[in-house]
Amino acid sequence: GDYNLSITGHSLGGGLATILSFYAATNQMFSKVKTIRVFTYAAPRVGCYGFAQAFQHLERKGKIRMARFSNTHDLVPLIPFHGMDRMGRSYKHVGMHIRLLGISRISQYWLRQALDVTYPKDDGWWAQLQRSFWASLFMNLNSPAGYKQTHKLSDYQKRIRFTLEFRNALSETDLLHDKKRARLKTLDEYYFIRGATSLTGTSELTAITIEESAKIAERRRTKKIVFSLLIIAIAEALILLRFLNTSIQCESLPLI
């Protein structure tokens, strides 16, 4: 394209930025823009399943690159509340999600493993259940004053700065869980790693992508095994309960 276009917004502005990016990517007025880059903070959900599918199509075509930042225990990114709806009636988030964990010891532990960057590519029931769980009000409980604090743009800036400095410091030590992830990736690189684009990447990114795919396949196999064992255990428990509830007639036993 002839020029670049970046759109950003916080809270309601983040929701409007999401809608505007979709509009701009599909309008001839912006045909000279190669890729629209969107950066939102504390944005709520703005579209249903159909909107999310259309948005991902534009991402695969390279028309949109979106980084959606959300703080843990911030209420606004949770609304409208998400449900496990395969009929396309519930609201969905779009874009590459960067979850900012804060500066606590627990957050530092998870930051040693990897950045919390996810992409809603999988629409299976297990993936929907996981997203519903982490995006539930129960997992993001906070006080009214806490919700107000975590929603502030200044708190987002503080968490982003801490995450950047903490990860850069870890890359120079032996505390980082995976040395291959020492270098912070760009938004385009994360799109390639998460399989959200058809563009090619470097050998380093290809290796990370293959490893990520292998880990996902291994987790799926583990889930299937655990689910099968759970079904077997439930069936055995039901059979045992049925057997224990079966009354034995006293006359059927020989006298001692």
Side-chain angles (χ1 to χ4, degrees):
D2 295 336
Y3 60 94
N4 299 319
L5 177 60
S6 296
I7 306 172
T8 187
H10 170 254
S11 194
L12 176 59
L16 294 175
T18 306
I19 296 173
L20 176 59
S21 66
F22 182 83
Y23 169 79
T26 56
N27 193 285
Q28 287 298 318
M29 290 176 56
F30 300 91
S31 59
K32 293 185 178 181
V33 180
K34 181 180 180 180
T35 302
I36 299 170
R37 300 189 179 276
V38 195
F39 304 90
T40 65
Y41 308 88
R45 297 181 177 91
V46 296
C48 61
Y49 180 79
F51 173 79
Q53 291 296 300
F55 199 95
Q56 290 183 6
H57 173 75
L58 294 173
E59 290 174 312
R60 287 192 296 271
K61 294 296 183 181
K63 296 292 293 181
I64 298 178
R65 290 288 177 266
M66 178 177 177
R68 179 176 64 84
F69 295 87
S70 72
N71 279 351
T72 52
H73 307 293
D74 184 1
L75 181 63
V76 175
L78 307 181
I79 58 175
F81 292 109
H82 172 75
M84 291 185 61
D85 179 17
R86 300 305 299 272
M87 303 300 294
R89 293 169 295 189
S90 63
Y91 281 80
K92 308 289 183 182
H93 269 309
V94 293
M96 194 68 62
H97 180 209
I98 299 93
R99 192 163 172 256
L100 302 173
L101 303 175
I103 61 176
S104 66
R105 289 296 180 89
I106 296 177
S107 300
Q108 292 178 26
Y109 168 78
W110 288 114
L111 282 174
R112 290 192 188 99
Q113 313 302 313
L115 290 178
D116 195 345
V117 181
T118 56
Y119 184 77
K121 185 180 178 182
D122 189 359
D123 276 326
W125 67 270
W126 181 257
Q128 288 200 53
L129 181 62
Q130 286 180 309
R131 287 197 290 268
S132 298
F133 175 74
W134 289 111
S136 66
L137 189 61
F138 173 76
M139 290 302 298
N140 293 272
L141 290 176
N142 209 340
S143 64
Y147 281 129
K148 183 178 180 180
Q149 177 61 34
T150 54
H151 186 63
K152 289 181 178 179
L153 187 57
S154 59
D155 196 72
Y156 275 80
Q157 293 172 328
K158 181 177 70 176
R159 293 194 187 197
I160 290 173
R161 188 180 302 111
F162 170 77
T163 301
L164 178 61
E165 293 177 355
F166 187 75
R167 288 287 297 188
N168 285 336
L170 280 177
S171 65
E172 301 175 358
T173 68
D174 295 329
L175 299 176
L176 193 63
H177 180 70
D178 191 344
K179 287 296 183 182
K180 293 191 293 298
R181 288 163 175 76
R183 181 178 67 84
L184 291 175
K185 310 300 186 295
T186 66
L187 183 58
D188 284 317
E189 289 173 333
Y190 267 116
Y191 265 90
F192 178 79
I193 292 171
R194 299 301 182 214
T197 178
S198 57
L199 303 178
T200 57
T202 63
S203 57
E204 176 196 7
L205 294 179
T206 303
I208 294 176
T209 304
I210 293 173
E211 183 180 339
E212 289 280 333
S213 300
K215 286 182 178 179
I216 291 173
E218 182 63 27
R219 284 198 295 266
R220 286 177 177 172
R221 285 194 295 269
T222 303
K223 290 171 187 175
K224 288 180 180 179
I225 294 173
V226 171
F227 184 73
S228 300
L229 292 176
L230 181 62
I231 294 297
I232 293 173
I234 293 175
E236 289 179 345
L238 291 175
I239 294 172
L240 180 61
L241 288 173
R242 175 63 179 173
F243 175 78
L244 292 176
N245 287 331
T246 302
S247 60
I248 301 176
Q249 300 297 327
C250 183
E251 291 80 3
S252 63
L253 297 177
L255 295 175
I256 298 178

